[in-house]
Amino acid sequence: MEKLPLGITAGFDKQDHLQVIDALRGYAILLVIAVHSVGYVSELVWPVKRLLSLGFYGVQLFFIASAVTLLMSWHRSTGPFGERCAKFLIRRFFRIAPFYYSAILIYWFAYNVAPGEFSFELLFASLFFYNAWSPYWIPTVPGWTPVPGGWSIGVEFCFYFIFPLLALLVTNLRRSLVFFGISLLVLIACSHYGQVLYPEIAQEARANFLYFWPPNHLIIFSLGFLLYHLIKHPGISQRIVDSQITGNQASAAMLLTFLVISFYGVRKFFDVTSGLPPTHLLLSMCFVPWALVLILKPTGYAINSAITGLGKVSFSAYILHFAVLGYSNTFLHSIWPFAKEGVASIAYEISFLLITVVVTRLLAEFTYRLIEQPFVHFGKRMISSWY
């Protein structure tokens, strides 16, 4: 039988960086930019809008990729459990917090926020990453948003705080399936009993909050654990490597899946009566086999320098793209010579996306080198000096 490529199963954790993970992050940020662009093209034809709306779930692809890379990093780390926890949290803080904090200032001026909208309570919730636990801090109700999309940063950090314990307990494929089952029960219970929370806010705002908050996304991180242990399982990984399926075929199947699920609609919660899962869970479950094939067979058109380059700076791109969308739309609107309704709206949307992605990529490269990387290295030096 063909031997597994170096880096799979036993040697998988030794790899400090994987281009395929960058590719997954690249696709995740493309999805996120795509869905947020829809709000600027009001006359976009419905079939395209319906498909691009699934970009809302690019954040879940980020979460899955994050769980895999964190597990790789955790298993490369050595020392007592307490020391590994400290190293982990220091690395994650300096990877995320410096630019996230900088973005609070960036958006204060970019959005020309009125001083009266400032809130110390909301600022502290964002600075200490507990902002995803209240509709007033995300916010899903009107008010100042320190960083657009900051809910996902809060959810990610909630996962960081419990990650070491999960990594200690969820150590194989069977346990990752148990973790998935428990997370599913958490999702169902919190979606149901959460309906009585915050009765003073509108039903739609409450539904949005219950979609964004951490209990609804624990199951997505459990899928990241499942993906990691599928990769590490010698029998399963060997079967996929020996199979005829290619990265191109898996990516084509993923595209077809997107098209099919676009007809499924947006379901925020698990429908216990019909057994229909929420869309973010259904699509995330489809991300797992696609990512598994790409990681085990990292060849094909889906993994290319353009997408991996975007994925490398995806955190900066995520933070910056909200502002870039607004400025890009203003610019394109001022020079666009054609109609923006009907079929012509597709041309406007494509042009809008291209401009936004290119500008976001360039700016993200700058902030990645100027802010992200120096603080990542600072965190590493701190760990080296302390441990």
Side-chain angles (χ1 to χ4, degrees):
M1 293 178 65
E2 178 186 355
K3 297 292 184 183
L4 288 174
L6 181 63
I8 302 301
T9 63
F12 182 66
D13 299 324
K14 296 179 181 179
Q15 301 173 107
D16 185 50
H17 183 265
L18 286 176
Q19 278 195 325
V20 64
I21 296 294
D22 281 341
L24 293 175
R25 291 188 179 122
Y27 288 115
I29 188 59
L30 280 181
L31 288 170
V32 170
I33 293 174
V35 69
H36 290 148
S37 73
V38 170
Y40 290 89
V41 189
S42 58
E43 301 298 326
L44 184 62
V45 292
W46 172 242
V48 176
K49 182 181 292 188
R50 181 180 60 204
L51 187 60
L52 292 183
S53 293
L54 287 183
F56 191 60
Y57 306 106
V59 170
Q60 282 73 36
L61 184 54
F62 272 125
F63 289 162
I64 291 171
S66 176
V68 172
T69 55
L70 292 180
L71 283 166
M72 292 172 65
S73 175
W74 178 263
H75 289 292
R76 286 197 305 270
S77 183
T78 57
F81 179 73
E83 180 181 312
R84 293 172 77 184
C85 290
K87 290 178 180 178
F88 169 78
L89 290 173
I90 291 171
R91 281 195 299 266
R92 300 322 298 165
F93 179 84
F94 284 103
R95 175 69 183 85
I96 300 297
F99 187 52
Y100 179 62
Y101 292 165
S102 302
I104 295 176
L105 288 175
I106 292 172
Y107 278 100
W108 179 270
F109 294 104
Y111 283 4
N112 195 26
V113 180
E117 296 183 44
F118 177 79
S119 164
F120 277 110
E121 184 180 25
L122 181 51
L123 177 63
F124 290 152
S126 299
L127 292 177
F128 293 98
F129 306 106
Y130 60 89
N131 55 312
W133 288 98
S134 167
Y136 297 103
W137 299 334
I138 292 180
T140 57
V141 294
W144 172 46
T145 302
V147 179
W151 71 271
S152 65
I153 309 299
V155 170
E156 181 91 7
F157 256 87
C158 287
F159 176 64
Y160 292 164
F161 293 139
I162 64 172
F163 172 80
L165 179 62
L166 292 173
L168 186 66
L169 296 175
V170 185
T171 54
N172 55 45
L173 183 57
R174 180 176 296 178
R175 291 189 177 191
S176 67
L177 290 170
V178 172
F179 179 27
F180 175 82
I182 293 172
S183 301
L184 181 59
L185 293 177
V186 169
L187 180 149
I188 295 172
C190 290
S191 296
H192 176 72
Y193 293 107
Q195 299 294 333
V196 301
L197 298 175
Y198 304 101
E200 74 278 9
I201 65 176
Q203 183 177 359
E204 183 179 356
R206 185 164 59 250
N208 287 337
F209 164 65
L210 294 177
Y211 169 78
F212 288 128
W213 74 332
N216 201 42
H217 284 89
L218 180 64
I219 196 166
I220 308 303
F221 291 104
S222 79
L223 287 173
F225 273 70
L226 180 61
L227 173 59
Y228 173 83
H229 288 293
L230 286 170
I231 296 165
K232 294 281 288 183
H233 192 284
I236 293 174
S237 56
Q238 186 68 65
R239 289 191 191 95
I240 293 176
V241 169
D242 291 341
S243 71
Q244 297 298 313
I245 190 169
T246 66
N248 288 338
Q249 291 171 340
S251 298
M254 190 68 240
L255 282 173
L256 180 61
T257 300
F258 261 100
L259 180 61
V260 172
I261 293 181
S262 70
F263 292 94
Y264 183 74
V266 176
R267 299 176 184 270
K268 294 180 180 178
F269 308 113
F270 202 105
D271 189 335
V272 178
T273 304
S274 63
L276 294 175
T279 311
H280 75 288
L281 173 57
L282 180 62
L283 193 55
S284 296
M285 292 175 68
C286 296
F287 284 146
V288 171
W290 172 55
L292 179 62
V293 173
L294 289 186
I295 290 170
L296 293 176
K297 294 184 171 182
T299 57
Y301 298 118
I303 304 173
N304 55 74
S305 59
I307 200 67
T308 57
L310 181 60
K312 186 181 70 171
V313 298
S314 57
F315 177 62
S316 277
Y318 179 79
I319 295 294
L320 294 171
H321 84 275
F322 294 94
V324 176
L325 279 166
Y327 291 117
S328 296
N329 181 61
T330 300
F331 167 75
L332 185 60
H333 180 76
S334 67
I335 66 169
W336 188 254
F338 311 110
K340 290 183 289 186
E341 301 84 21
V343 176
S345 68
I346 300 176
Y348 185 88
E349 172 67 23
I350 292 173
S351 302
F352 180 35
L353 275 177
L354 285 174
I355 292 172
T356 301
V357 170
V358 170
V359 174
T360 299
R361 173 69 174 85
L362 293 173
L363 291 176
E365 182 71 30
F366 176 75
T367 55
Y368 174 78
R369 295 181 182 276
L370 182 67
I371 301 175
E372 286 191 60
Q373 284 298 94
F375 277 100
V376 167
H377 295 316
F378 178 80
K380 289 179 179 179
R381 290 195 299 270
M382 181 182 292
I383 291 172
S384 298
S385 64
W386 288 1
Y387 301 102

